[in-house]
Amino acid sequence: MNTMAFSWIVALSIVAGCAAQGSLPVLDSCILCSSRTNITCATDPDGNHRSACETVPVLSGCYTRILDGFTLRGCTSDLDADVLAACQNDSELCSICVGESNVATHGCNNLIFPAHRHHCHQCHGAVNGTCGGIPLGVATPCEMFDANDRCYILRTNTTITRGCMSNRGTNCDNPEHCHICEITGCNNLIGDSVPIAPGSAVTNTVSMVTLSTAFIFALAKFI
């Protein structure tokens, strides 16, 4: 028997022995998603697609990282060297873990990240509807990550909106238009207790009527 053949037999014997004992390294299975295209990647990671990673290196790990406020999850073997190095050096905006695909059914990068991500009550509805009352459920993770995030309530004459200030299109650029608070889940006030935002539809109508009346009286002085 030649040396090469003997080496292969030894190697296969070791692999078989490890497999029999359950100690063979297992390939990572990671959640692969981006909140740029699927917001649940940030807010409900367990509901996203899981996939086996590259076989080399074995047990390379899974990552969760924040980029421009969005949440990205995947296999560390898919990151280039510079991004991986930056990821390893920035625990505030990147997390790396190692898990086995034969443990449960999920990758290890299935947690809300960062752990201190802001949570707010989030809904939209009629003033006299469910969103207008005191929220019964727990506050949910904000879609975008902002270290200085806050919660808000926007009330018009007909609607209530609750959410995170980091959400796009909040209409809360002017603090006088919204109830804004800093503590997680703090936007849980009953809708009627929040002032109506200036500029809402009915308010504008009233303002136009008032303005028209004033104009008529002013015009009457010259007739």
Side-chain angles (χ1 to χ4, degrees):
M1 180 181 295
N2 61 41
T3 304
M4 180 65 70
F6 179 76
S7 298
W8 271 106
I9 291 173
V10 172
L12 291 173
S13 298
I14 293 174
V15 170
C18 288
Q21 298 175 24
S23 59
L24 188 67
V26 181
L27 184 67
D28 280 339
S29 173
C30 301
I31 292 176
L32 307 179
C33 63
S34 168
S35 67
R36 288 184 185 274
T37 55
N38 183 357
I39 204 62
T40 62
C41 189
T43 60
D44 182 25
D46 255 337
N48 283 269
H49 178 64
R50 297 156 178 81
S51 179
C53 299
E54 295 282 342
T55 56
V56 179
V58 173
L59 292 178
S60 58
C62 307
Y63 73 84
T64 305
R65 59 190 292 245
I66 303 298
L67 183 64
D68 298 328
F70 293 97
T71 303
L72 288 72
R73 302 175 189 270
C75 303
T76 55
S77 55
D78 293 334
L79 299 176
D80 63 42
D82 291 340
V83 173
L84 179 59
C87 199
Q88 291 170 329
N89 294 325
D90 189 357
S91 60
E92 286 296 313
L93 295 178
C94 191
S95 172
I96 293 177
C97 61
V98 175
E100 299 180 340
S101 60
N102 66 341
V103 177
T105 59
H106 54 262
C108 58
N109 61 336
N110 67 322
L111 302 177
I112 296 295
F113 181 79
H116 60 275
R117 179 187 286 263
H118 216 62
H119 287 55
C120 300
H121 295 283
Q122 303 179 61
C123 62
H124 176 78
V127 171
N128 59 355
T130 303
C131 193
I134 296 176
L136 299 178
V138 297
T140 53
C142 296
E143 298 175 353
M144 301 291 289
F145 175 70
D146 180 347
N148 299 310
D149 213 350
R150 294 173 292 169
C151 303
Y152 77 90
I153 304 174
L154 169 64
R155 177 190 175 194
T156 71
N157 290 276
T158 57
T159 63
I160 291 287
T161 304
R162 303 175 191 268
C164 309
M165 287 294 290
S166 59
N167 290 355
R168 289 157 287 181
T170 61
N171 295 321
C172 288
D173 294 335
N174 185 342
E176 294 181 359
H177 290 193
C178 295
H179 166 76
I180 300 173
C181 55
E182 297 184 0
I183 301 173
T184 282
C186 59
N187 60 337
N188 59 347
L189 303 179
I190 190 168
D192 287 346
S193 67
V194 178
I196 296 175
S200 59
V202 176
T203 302
N204 281 340
T205 301
V206 172
S207 297
M208 288 301 295
V209 169
T210 302
L211 183 61
S212 298
T213 303
F215 176 76
I216 291 171
F217 277 110
L219 183 62
K221 292 181 180 180
F222 298 95
I223 298 176

